[in-house]
Amino acid sequence: MQHHTTVGIIGGGPAGLLLARLLHNHGIDCVVLESRERDYVEQRQRAGILEQGTVDVLRSCGAGERLDREGLVHDGIELRWNRRSHRVDFPALTGGRRVWVYAQTEVVKDLIALQLADGAPLLFGAHVHAVEGADTDRPVVRYRHEGREKTLSCDYVIGCDGFHGVTRSAFPEQARRTYERVYPFSWLGILADVAPSCEELIYAHSPRGFALHSMRSPEVSRLYLQVPNGTDPADWSDERIWDELEARFAVDGDWKLERGPVTSKAVLPMRSFVTEPMRWGRVLLAGDAAHIVPPTGAKGLNLAAADVIVLARALAHLKETGSTALLDAYSDTCLRRVWRAEHFSWFMTTTLHTDPAQSDFDTRLQISQLDRIAASPHAAAELAENYAGLEIG
Ligand SMILES: Cc1cc2nc3c(=O)[nH]c(=O)nc-3n(C[C@H](O)[C@H](O)[C@H](O)COP(=O)(O)OP(=O)(O)OC[C@H]3O[C@@H](n4cnc5c(N)ncnc54)[C@H](O)[C@@H]3O)c2cc1C
């Protein structure tokens, strides 16, 4: 049997779930099809930093209650290099913007709970294998659910199905242009049951490679080490990880890295990727389905949120006025922000990591840039504005 909905959303990650919530609040019907089961989606460890604009939209759509109770407000980050450190003060440099530490797992849990309690259908275990008719008035989504083949016809289909999703392939090959950079290093990320050794995130440049100290809560630390591509986490004992972190965070003064039991280890590859345009006919892409950034700038989840804010606004405008003007502008509007975030993420990555082919000249350029951020409020403000997030256009 074929069903129809106004907006078919493929993917129940942050982009798909937030879009469904925003559409619900505008009285626009939709269906979310998510290939994985609920437990898997809720446990998937990924991002942890929310920009001001992301927090604002979560609050305004009713998903801010636990975030306000449990999220940690951060007013800056610390940079470390050459055994020295410098704090970048976000509110002072941006006119009051800040960031929140609140894990993607928790954002997803909050949005799923709202959706199931009072929202449009959200189907888990619904694997989409084709999107057809992008350039017709009734695009169709084909998926498998509860062992049966099903079809959903839609006014619009939104691909929120991440980097490995299927929606992108509904755009004709000749209409797509992709831009990509794969970095010659990865991150080994750990979760540890130990109170963070810092109040704000520490981004460390070191001759041994990059390290990041982040956190999930007052009891759980999240730390990352730059490692070679192809690294097997099993080659890194807990002791080796802590020793290496300690060496990379080394700073003059009496700072100490607290150690604790490591509860998870995973290697994340680093990639920049953009596909253009983000719309073809009645099929649109949002979030990681359209663009990937290396996590150094903490932008992935925030970009996904920005896309769906623009999209929900455009679909609401269409419902209220019958005009497709905002939908027609969707791809260009989002891509301006996407490319800014791509640049910032590339900048943070290349300034802080050690490329295996790096020369001493390259290292001196990195140090010069870090010195400049410490010396110039203008240079620091450029970092702070991008990190805390630009206004959503
Ligand atoms: C391993 C990893 C670690 C990361 N760590 C960080 C980090 O530390 N900091 C940071 O800022 N960002 C990080 N990111 C990026 C950030 O998590 C993403 O940008 C964010 O998840 C984007 O949300 P999304 O909804 O667009 O995509 P996703 O979260 O990828 O969601 C896509 C959803 O679509 C579903 N799906 C896929 N194909 C289909 C299909 N055919 N049918 C139905 N459903 C489908 C998937 O199961 C998934 O639930 C990380 C990403 C990854 C992959």
Side-chain angles (χ1 to χ4, degrees):
M1 193 165 80
Q2 174 156 322
H3 295 280
H4 182 82
T5 185
T6 306
V7 181
I9 300 176
I10 306 175
L17 292 169
L18 180 58
L19 178 61
R21 198 71 221 147
L22 295 172
L23 294 182
H24 175 78
N25 292 348
H26 284 296
I28 298 171
D29 72 296
C30 65
V31 173
V32 183
L33 302 172
E34 164 58 50
S35 62
R36 302 287 193 160
E37 295 305 330
R38 180 178 179 180
D39 272 6
Y40 181 92
V41 175
E42 290 188 341
Q43 300 307 324
R44 202 163 33 192
Q45 284 300 327
R46 291 189 167 177
I49 301 289
L50 307 184
E51 292 176 3
Q52 178 86 54
T54 306
V55 169
D56 292 345
V57 71
L58 288 170
R59 283 177 175 156
S60 73
C61 76
E65 194 197 315
R66 199 159 65 94
L67 160 65
D68 278 327
R69 221 174 38 242
E70 297 176 17
L72 308 172
V73 180
H74 280 204
D75 281 349
I77 55 169
E78 182 182 332
L79 299 172
R80 287 192 184 176
W81 71 105
N82 277 354
R83 301 191 64 87
R84 61 180 288 215
S85 77
H86 176 78
R87 177 169 186 265
V88 180
D89 182 329
F90 295 156
L93 292 159
T94 64
R97 295 176 85 79
R98 42 181 49 111
V99 298
W100 275 251
V101 173
Y102 189 67
Q104 181 167 329
T105 46
E106 307 314 300
V107 173
V108 163
K109 280 180 205 161
D110 295 346
L111 287 169
I112 288 176
L114 278 173
Q115 191 70 15
L116 295 178
D118 146 43
L122 161 58
L123 307 186
F124 292 103
H127 181 74
V128 173
H129 51 81
V131 177
E132 294 165 3
D135 49 4
T136 69
D137 285 349
R138 283 280 166 105
V140 165
V141 177
R142 298 193 185 282
Y143 65 103
R144 193 169 177 80
H145 187 231
E146 296 173 335
R148 294 172 58 195
E149 290 301 322
K150 300 192 177 171
T151 306
L152 181 68
S153 83
C154 313
D155 291 353
Y156 289 93
V157 174
I158 317 298
C160 297
D161 46 354
F163 182 61
H164 299 289
V166 294
T167 315
R168 229 169 30 235
S169 58
F171 291 29
E173 198 76 45
Q174 66 278 12
R176 271 191 278 156
R177 177 122 198 238
T178 57
Y179 304 84
E180 187 166 22
R181 171 159 303 183
V182 178
Y183 296 86
F185 39 73
S186 303
W187 279 8
L188 172 63
I190 65 158
L191 279 172
D193 280 340
V194 59
S197 306
C198 47
E199 288 186 356
E200 295 173 341
L201 273 65
I202 305 175
Y203 286 78
H205 174 282
S206 142
R208 307 172 69 100
F210 170 74
L212 170 60
H213 193 327
S214 181
M215 65 276 300
R216 284 290 184 254
S217 71
E219 298 83 31
V220 177
S221 296
R222 179 94 168 125
L223 297 113
Y224 301 94
L225 283 171
Q226 176 188 341
V227 290
N229 286 344
T231 293
D232 180 353
D235 292 341
W236 284 77
S237 66
D238 294 5
E239 196 184 4
R240 184 179 173 203
I241 291 172
W242 288 115
D243 287 350
E244 190 59 31
L245 285 165
E246 205 164 270
R248 295 191 192 182
F249 286 120
V251 67
D252 289 339
D254 58 353
W255 182 81
K256 184 164 179 284
L257 179 66
E258 297 298 341
R259 300 183 177 209
V262 174
T263 56
S264 127
K265 283 179 213 176
V267 169
L268 326 175
M270 309 275 279
R271 184 194 295 270
S272 301
F273 171 88
V274 182
T275 186
E276 294 184 354
M278 287 170 62
R279 173 184 179 181
W280 184 259
R282 285 176 174 254
V283 177
L284 299 94
L285 303 174
D288 278 18
H291 40 73
I292 297 282
V293 285
T296 330
K299 286 285 156 262
L301 170 59
N302 294 298
L303 268 186
D307 286 352
V308 299
I309 291 170
V310 174
L311 187 47
R313 207 184 281 157
L315 289 164
H317 185 70
L318 172 63
K319 180 181 179 226
E320 283 154 23
T321 67
S323 162
T324 61
L326 295 187
L327 264 187
D328 295 342
Y330 170 74
S331 182
D332 289 344
T333 305
C334 289
L335 284 168
R336 275 193 293 278
R337 185 183 187 85
V338 167
W339 278 110
R340 177 86 301 277
E342 288 289 344
H343 182 273
F344 178 65
S345 303
W346 166 87
F347 164 79
M348 290 290 280
T349 302
T350 53
T351 301
L352 292 164
H353 290 71
T354 308
D355 189 308
Q358 184 159 319
S359 67
D360 290 347
F361 180 86
D362 299 323
T363 305
R364 294 304 291 259
L365 291 180
Q366 291 176 322
I367 300 295
S368 167
Q369 181 59 37
L370 292 164
D371 287 343
R372 173 80 185 145
I373 290 166
S376 158
H378 300 293
E382 176 63 9
L383 190 159
E385 278 183 17
N386 280 284
Y387 195 104
L390 305 171
E391 297 282 350
I392 296 169

